[in-house]
Amino acid sequence: MARFPSPTSSIIPRHLRPFRRRHILLSLLILFSITYFLHSSTSASTSWDNGSEFARLEHHMNSPSITTKLVSNTSFDWNSVPFKYPPPSPPRQLPLPFNSHAISLPPIQHPCFPPPPPPESPTARQIRDRRRKAVKSLFIKNWNSYRALAWKKDALLPISWGYRDQFSGWAATLVDALDTLWIMGLRDEFDEAVEAVAGIDFGQVKDGSGSGSGSGNRVNIFETNIRYLGRTVGCL
């Protein structure tokens, strides 16, 4: 039987055939790399969807923010206030008690405290998820009421639909809610609240907003520390 040359051998010269094999191998390698990359990206995104509640919340809340860089609107620089009782410089180490010899104290908790939680059943998970959604829904309802009726005020008066400035008029409720907004995954509301906090002038006290009877416009140091300082530091 007569043999006929294959179309490939007749078209491609003999000295160019090794280059053709290399091109085929290189193309297959590139195709494999692209397929592997796409599969890895899909698996990574799927892992966020199928991961724990905490992982999904962390991924959502730590995504890049679209808000612009915020600048504080305060008219007073609290860093310029001199210390009345300045700490020693350089800092000195406090002396140890018990004749300067450290002692080991016995533990006050049981070695197995807290005990590991039992596996969560599907029924228990549904109950917990239903309760979580109910709490979040109630918070969103109250937050929307504050936003509509008492935005940037210290407190909302729910019966009269009014508001009250009782802690220097620095939007105490708004600042108090920063960490709750973050924990509940309300990123848009959190970004809006942070922008509003940046516009608070902590150098001015609103008239009649002092805490306590007869306090006038004096600043309540206790409320300032636990609310304004504590909440803002907790959100850093």
Side-chain angles (χ1 to χ4, degrees):
M1 180 182 294
R3 292 186 177 182
F4 298 93
S6 64
T8 303
S9 61
S10 61
I11 296 175
I12 302 177
R14 185 180 300 274
H15 66 281
L16 294 180
R17 292 175 188 174
F19 294 98
R20 181 175 179 273
R21 296 192 188 96
R22 295 177 185 176
H23 291 165
I24 294 176
L25 292 176
L26 181 60
S27 301
L28 292 175
L29 179 61
I30 294 176
L31 180 62
F32 174 79
S33 302
I34 295 176
T35 304
Y36 177 80
F37 174 77
L38 294 176
H39 176 73
S40 300
S41 302
T42 305
S43 300
S45 60
T46 306
S47 63
W48 284 114
D49 298 333
N50 299 331
S52 65
E53 297 175 14
F54 178 79
R56 293 196 300 269
L57 177 63
E58 183 181 24
H59 177 65
H60 170 66
M61 294 303 294
N62 288 283
S63 59
S65 175
I66 61 175
T67 56
T68 57
K69 184 177 181 180
L70 302 176
V71 179
S72 176
N73 190 38
T74 184
S75 60
F76 184 80
D77 184 11
W78 289 93
N79 292 324
S80 62
V81 178
F83 285 104
K84 188 172 183 179
Y85 301 102
S89 182
R92 57 182 175 84
Q93 183 178 3
L94 297 178
L96 294 175
F98 310 108
N99 299 325
S100 300
H101 293 289
I103 61 174
S104 60
L105 300 176
I108 61 175
Q109 292 181 337
H110 192 273
C112 296
F113 181 85
E120 187 178 35
S121 64
T123 302
R125 180 182 178 88
Q126 292 178 359
I127 295 175
R128 179 176 59 82
D129 189 60
R130 185 168 63 249
R131 292 172 177 174
R132 178 181 61 84
K133 291 180 179 179
V135 172
K136 184 175 181 178
S137 176
L138 182 60
F139 174 83
I140 293 176
K141 177 183 177 181
N142 293 331
W143 176 257
N144 290 335
S145 298
Y146 170 77
R147 188 178 182 276
L149 303 172
W151 187 243
K152 297 184 180 181
K153 303 299 181 180
D154 283 345
L156 168 68
L157 303 179
I159 297 180
S160 63
W161 289 15
Y163 58 83
R164 175 185 300 163
D165 282 327
Q166 62 200 67
F167 300 125
S168 303
W170 294 336
T173 297
L174 193 151
V175 178
D176 268 343
L178 288 175
D179 53 354
T180 305
L181 292 169
W182 184 271
I183 293 173
M184 290 191 172
L186 303 174
R187 180 60 186 271
D188 294 337
E189 291 80 357
F190 176 82
D191 289 341
E192 182 185 30
V194 169
E195 187 174 357
V197 170
I200 298 175
D201 187 357
F202 289 98
Q204 299 291 332
V205 178
K206 293 186 179 180
D207 294 336
S209 61
S211 178
S213 176
S215 60
N217 294 336
R218 292 183 297 176
V219 175
N220 188 309
I221 301 301
F222 173 77
E223 299 291 346
T224 300
N225 284 333
I226 67 170
R227 296 180 185 274
Y228 303 114
L229 180 60
R231 286 299 189 269
T232 51
V233 170
C235 292
L236 294 178

